[in-house]
Amino acid sequence: MADEEPVDQKKYLEEGCKPKCVKQLRSYEACIKRIDCDESGHKHCTGQYFDYWSCVDKCVAQTLFSKLK
């Protein structure tokens, strides 16, 4: 067991949490569509991107720390 490569549990937990954050994902995708034709490069969707990953991280945190050694 000491020779086994550790497995990153966070990646597995993220996949289970992503469906719970659909609202934030849709908001991010809508933003991407809105700024798709922006030629100036000044518009961005950083806020929506971080909202989505914040939702995923909050969901993951509920179970991740109990699985860490």
Side-chain angles (χ1 to χ4, degrees), residues 27-68:
S27 176
Y28 175 64
E29 290 171 343
C31 180
I32 294 293
K33 286 181 183 178
R34 276 195 312 273
I35 69 165
D36 191 36
C37 298
D38 178 37
E39 299 291 326
S40 68
H42 294 294
K43 296 180 182 178
H44 57 84
C45 298
T46 306
Q48 291 83 354
Y49 177 82
F50 283 120
D51 288 345
Y52 172 65
W53 282 105
S54 176
C55 176
V56 173
D57 285 344
K58 285 179 185 177
C59 175
V60 168
Q62 294 174 3
T63 55
L64 176 66
F65 293 105
S66 66
K67 295 180 184 259
L68 295 176

Side-chain angles (χ1 to χ4, degrees), residues 19-32:
K20 297 177 182 178
C21 300
V22 172
K23 180 180 175 185
Q24 291 84 350
L25 178 61
R26 297 286 183 248
S27 176
Y28 175 64
E29 290 171 343
C31 180
I32 294 293

